[in-house]
């Protein structure tokens, strides 16, 4: 599926003869090489799970988080180049802060999504800059709007999702997500599913170590985005490991 | 002692009090027959003094150059018991303009000395205002509409400087229109109030504006936000404003009930504004009303002869 641009891929301000902007597509490739991120939107909230690949045992556990808070009520999980992503988070925070100071209330996710999308898109227009090499997933819950989740990719396009996945194992993750009936599930159930899916799609051979990051925002958290509390997260992880072990056992059984 | 102003009943008031007593005009000085204890004299260009009879001699000594007037007064018996005014050098040209009776109306700020009110009821809000705009003592507009549309479901009641409040309302309308398009849904009353606040607070030193933002939105129903001079915001179930409001705080406190019906609320607002208009000189004319609900706004006017009757002695 990958094609070489040969000459038409040198800057984001160039089209190729078949109407593609290669730089933007290459940016998407950068996202595909990063650890998987999945977002699940249920009945009463949104859950994020991130497969944070750890390349060295010497790293402090919990360092370089890939889930961020934007204002109190919005969470952002990122995939791709982490430093590019941090810039996006900063921009989103700045937008949210300005909105709050101007309009006296927290920024609606739909509005923030448009602002961040426009921002990311702006970097695909000029040859002087390169597009952001990251995809972000934003989620929020409010009394008035209910749960909402958007995913933005490097081209600046964004969609609202019930369930989404980006990164290395996005295809496998999407297949798993499609099996779930998301609209009927509460965040407590979704946390377990998210953990299970991440463990399932993680490639043991290529990437040895990983940390699972979980976060949620829901009616239960009163609209505040927070990392899933340790007990619940640990329980979900254990259940996920168990599920994985069951599958392996059953496979061996069939063989 | 350098010539300077003594004390003042400046300009208009004094002038109005004794126009008939003008007995002689001599250049820039005018003579007035003395009143009981004091009289006011008016000088055409250079300001005015208020003198006691007893201070005449001092006044004479202040401006010795006016001796010729004194001489004239001595000749004319009638004028002898008049006190006459001396031209005094006034410090500021402000005094010139404010004391010059022909220009006074031009120099008084154009204000909506006003009575405005907003009241929540079950299903929306009722807003009301009087219709008088004054420049000093002159009623520049006796049928003003102080209830200004921001959006179909959000209105504001304006009090204070007419120019300031009109300008602010225009800016807020523009902002909110833009915001509505970005948001993709009707804006909240809270948002309108926040934009009003941003302007009224950040430019508080240049503005004189007391505004009531009232409307209906899907999230919180009928709401009223008071943005008085200085730029604070406060949500209230009932709110009054303008110069006439001082006279009706008691009535409002005694008669407001939460969750009234629409008709009760309209009656309440009408009564309150009528009482305010009866007592406040800067309020009057007709009562303009608006009822804002989910369906939009219904405007109405209550003309002078249809206002409720209260005891007037």
């Amino acid at each position: 599926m990958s094609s070489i641009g040969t000459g038409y891929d040198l800057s984001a301000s160039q089209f190729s003869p078949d109407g593609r902007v290669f730089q933007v597509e290459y940016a998407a490739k950068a996202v595909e090489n990063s650890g998987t991120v999945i977002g699940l939107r249920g009945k009463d909230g949104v859950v994020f799970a991130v497969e944070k690949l750890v390349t060295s045992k010497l790293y402090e556990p919990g360092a370089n988080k890939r889930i961020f808070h934007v204002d109190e009520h919005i969470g952002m999980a990122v995939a791709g180049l982490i430093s590019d992503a941090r810039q996006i988070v900063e921009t989103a925070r700045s937008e949210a802060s300005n909105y709050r100071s101007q309009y006296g209330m927290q920024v609606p996710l739909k509005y923030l999504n448009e602002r961040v999308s426009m921002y990311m898109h702006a970097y695909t227009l000029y040859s002087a800059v390169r597009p952001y090499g990251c995809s972000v997933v934003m989620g929020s819950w409010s009394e008035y709007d209910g749960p909402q989740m958007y995913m933005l990719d490097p081209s600046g396009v964004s969609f609202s999702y019930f369930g989404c996945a980006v990164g290395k194992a996005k295809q496998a993750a999407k297949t798993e997500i499609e099996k779930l009936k998301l609209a009927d599930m509460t965040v407590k159930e979704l946390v377990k599913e998210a953990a299970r899916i991440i463990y399932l799609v993680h490639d043991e051979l290529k990437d040895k170590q990983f940390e699972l990051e979980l976060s949620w925002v829901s009616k239960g958290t009163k609209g505040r985005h927070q990392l899933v509390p340790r007990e619940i997260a640990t329980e979900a992880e254990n259940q996920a490991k168990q599920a994985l072990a069951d599958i392996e056992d059953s496979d061996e059984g069939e063989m | 002692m350098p010539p300077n102003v003594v004390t003042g009943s400046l300009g208009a008031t004094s002038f109005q009090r004794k126009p008939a007593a003008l007995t002689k005009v001599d250049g820039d000085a005018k003579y007035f027959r003395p009143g009981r204890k004091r009289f006011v004299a008016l000088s055409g260009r250079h300001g005015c003094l208020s003198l006691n009879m007893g201070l005449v001699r001092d006044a004479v000594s202040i401006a010795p150059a006016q001796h010729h007037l004194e001489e004239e007064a001595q000749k004319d018996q009638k004028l002898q018991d008049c006190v006459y005014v001396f031209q005094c050098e006034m410090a500021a040209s402000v005094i010139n303009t404010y004391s010059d009776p022909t220009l006074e109306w031009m120099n008084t700020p154009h204000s909506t000395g006003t009575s405005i009110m907003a009241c929540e009821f079950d299903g929306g809000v009722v807003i009301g205002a009087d219709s008088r705009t004054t420049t000093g003592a002159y009623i520049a507009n006796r049928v003003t509409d102080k209830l200004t549309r921001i959006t179909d479901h959000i209105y504001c009641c304006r009090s204070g400087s007419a120019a300031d409040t009109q300008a602010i309302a225009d800016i807020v309308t523009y902002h909110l229109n833009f915001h509505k398009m970005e948001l993709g849904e009707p804006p909240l009353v809270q948002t309108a109030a926040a934009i009003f606040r941003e302007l009224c607070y950040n430019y508080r030193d240049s503005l004189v504006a007391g505004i009531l933002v009232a409307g209906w939105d899907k999230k919180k129903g009928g709401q009223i936000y008071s943005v008085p001079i200085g730029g604070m915001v406060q949500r209230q179930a009932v709110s009054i404003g303008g110069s006439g409001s001082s006279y009706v705080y008691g009535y409002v406190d005694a008669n407001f009930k939460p969750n009234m019906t629409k008709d009760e609320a309209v009656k309440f607002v009408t009564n309150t504004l009528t009482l305010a208009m009866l007592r406040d000189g800067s309020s009057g004319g007709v009562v303009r009303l608006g009822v804002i609900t989910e369906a939009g706004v219904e405007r109405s006017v209550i003309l002078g002869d249809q206002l409720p009757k209260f005891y007037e002695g």
Side-chain angles (χ1 to χ4, degrees):
Chain A
M1 251 181 57
S2 63
S3 54
I4 305 170
T6 327
Y8 299 110
D9 59 349
L10 298 175
S11 79
S13 65
Q14 287 182 314
F15 277 106
S16 73
D18 50 351
R20 298 155 72 172
V21 182
F22 279 103
Q23 279 295 308
V24 175
E25 295 187 18
Y26 296 161
K29 291 255 175 52
V31 175
E32 279 171 28
N33 289 333
S34 92
T36 317
V37 171
I38 59 173
L40 301 172
R41 171 179 147 197
K43 197 165 55 176
D44 61 343
V46 174
V47 170
F48 292 138
V50 176
E51 174 203 14
K52 189 176 81 188
L53 299 171
V54 176
T55 46
S56 163
K57 291 203 176 120
L58 296 173
Y59 287 145
E60 189 186 354
N64 286 350
K65 286 212 175 324
R66 288 175 52 193
I67 298 184
F68 301 91
H69 306 277
V70 174
D71 206 330
E72 294 176 327
H73 62 299
I74 296 178
M76 204 183 244
V78 303
L81 302 177
I82 187 74
S83 30
D84 281 13
R86 287 199 183 123
Q87 182 64 31
I88 300 288
V89 170
E90 225 14 74
T91 307
R93 283 175 179 162
S94 172
E95 287 283 343
S97 166
N98 285 339
Y99 189 95
R100 201 182 257 275
S101 115
Q102 239 196 325
Y103 298 108
M105 50 186 272
Q106 58 191 26
V107 60
L109 183 58
K110 186 171 161 198
Y111 183 89
L112 183 65
N113 170 56
E114 279 203 27
R115 300 292 293 182
V116 179
S117 299
M118 280 201 290
Y119 179 77
M120 287 180 77
H121 171 252
Y123 283 76
T124 66
L125 297 169
Y126 310 106
S127 58
V129 294
R130 63 165 175 78
Y132 279 97
C134 60
S135 274
V136 300
V137 190
M138 294 201 286
S140 162
W141 177 91
S142 80
E143 183 74 57
Y144 185 53
D145 300 309
Q148 290 180 303
M149 187 169 72
Y150 291 89
M151 186 172 78
L152 293 76
D153 62 35
S155 64
V157 160
S158 77
F159 290 98
S160 175
Y161 288 92
F162 282 99
C164 65
V166 274
K168 276 193 155 85
K170 72 173 183 208
Q171 271 311 112
K174 276 191 197 158
T175 320
E176 281 302 312
I177 292 172
E178 279 167 17
K179 294 178 189 166
L180 302 170
K181 279 216 167 125
L182 292 164
D184 301 329
M185 298 170 78
T186 66
V187 282
K188 288 222 162 71
E189 295 162 4
L190 286 175
V191 168
K192 299 199 180 96
E193 291 299 328
R196 181 184 66 82
I197 294 172
I198 290 286
Y199 268 89
L200 192 62
V201 303
H202 170 68
D203 190 340
E204 269 298 322
L205 298 169
K206 284 201 191 142
D207 317 301
K208 301 288 170 51
Q209 275 282 85
F210 83 101
E211 267 180 46
L212 175 65
E213 276 182 56
L214 286 165
S215 79
W216 60 8
V217 54
S218 70
K219 190 169 178 184
T221 68
K222 300 205 178 77
R224 287 184 114 90
H225 175 253
Q226 50 183 227
L227 296 177
V228 171
R230 197 174 304 160
E231 315 85 54
I232 303 179
T234 323
E235 194 198 327
E237 274 200 71
N238 289 337
Q239 288 192 352
K241 286 177 188 162
Q242 189 60 38
L244 206 55
D246 289 344
I247 293 172
E248 288 171 4
D249 289 341
S250 70
D251 281 344
E252 281 169 7
E254 279 167 24
M255 295 249 320
Chain B
M1 222 166 96
N4 55 21
V5 184
V6 180
T7 58
S9 339
L10 282 178
T13 342
S14 45
F15 184 66
Q16 280 159 15
R17 213 185 288 158
K18 297 232 184 274
L22 189 67
T23 51
K24 179 167 173 167
V25 175
D26 178 4
D28 277 309
K30 294 174 186 145
Y31 307 114
F32 282 78
R33 199 167 270 283
R36 289 265 176 87
K37 286 197 179 164
R38 39 184 208 153
F39 76 105
V40 175
L42 195 61
S43 145
R45 289 258 167 253
H46 293 264
C48 58
L49 307 168
S50 161
L51 300 169
N52 264 335
M53 281 281 281
L55 291 176
V56 169
R57 295 242 173 90
D58 296 334
V60 170
S61 67
I62 285 171
Q66 302 304 315
H67 272 276
H68 69 282
L69 292 172
E70 201 185 0
E71 282 161 21
E72 278 216 22
Q74 277 170 0
K75 287 178 208 162
D76 186 340
Q77 278 298 312
K78 269 192 219 168
L79 289 173
Q80 267 191 357
D81 46 355
C82 283
V83 183
Y84 38 92
V85 179
F86 299 90
Q87 296 177 0
C88 286
E89 312 258 19
M90 296 292 227
S93 58
V94 173
I95 309 289
N96 288 348
T97 46
Y98 273 96
S99 65
D100 190 323
T102 57
L103 288 180
E104 191 221 323
W105 63 272
M106 269 186 67
N107 299 307
T108 318
H110 202 112
S111 91
T112 45
T114 292
S115 309
I116 50 173
M117 179 169 175
C119 171
E120 263 182 46
F121 69 93
D122 187 23
V125 293
V126 175
I127 53 175
D130 73 304
S131 67
R132 183 173 289 181
T133 316
T134 50
T135 34
Y138 174 65
I139 299 175
N141 185 352
R142 62 191 170 102
V143 285
T144 325
D145 185 5
K146 301 179 189 176
L147 306 175
T148 306
R149 176 191 175 277
I150 307 292
T151 72
D152 283 342
H153 287 86
I154 304 175
Y155 272 65
C156 73
C157 310
R158 300 182 292 110
S159 75
S161 153
D164 287 352
T165 52
Q166 283 178 4
I168 296 170
D170 286 347
I171 294 172
V172 174
T173 308
Y174 162 77
H175 263 294
L176 216 52
N177 210 25
F178 202 77
H179 186 70
K180 176 175 71 175
M181 288 192 271
E182 286 184 311
L183 220 48
E185 50 185 48
L188 302 172
V189 188
Q190 184 184 4
T191 313
I195 303 175
F196 266 107
R197 184 267 312 272
E198 278 298 289
L199 290 165
C200 292
Y201 177 73
N202 287 324
Y203 294 101
R204 55 185 293 160
D205 294 334
S206 320
L207 295 172
V208 176
I211 293 172
L212 295 178
V213 187
W216 184 95
D217 65 41
K218 237 184 349 189
K219 195 168 169 183
K220 292 187 188 168
Q223 298 146 74
I224 300 163
Y225 294 88
S226 177
V227 185
I229 293 174
M232 80 161 194
V233 198
Q234 173 78 351
R235 183 179 172 192
Q236 295 177 295
V238 64
S239 194
I240 51 181
S243 55
S245 66
S246 330
Y247 306 105
V248 289
Y249 275 102
Y251 181 80
V252 169
D253 288 343
N255 290 290
F256 173 71
K257 300 181 312 285
N259 293 67
M260 289 188 271
T261 65
K262 181 174 102 173
D263 292 328
E264 285 176 334
V266 168
K267 193 102 195 66
F268 175 54
V269 171
T270 312
N271 283 349
T272 313
L273 287 174
T274 308
L275 287 166
M277 282 153 62
L278 287 173
R279 283 292 176 182
D280 181 28
S282 317
S283 303
V286 303
V287 171
R288 290 203 188 271
L289 293 169
V291 180
I292 311 177
T293 58
E294 182 171 4
V297 71
E298 293 164 33
R299 296 294 311 265
S300 56
V301 187
I302 303 186
L303 300 174
D305 56 347
Q306 296 157 0
L307 291 173
K309 302 276 179 285
F310 292 100
Y311 173 70
E312 281 177 56

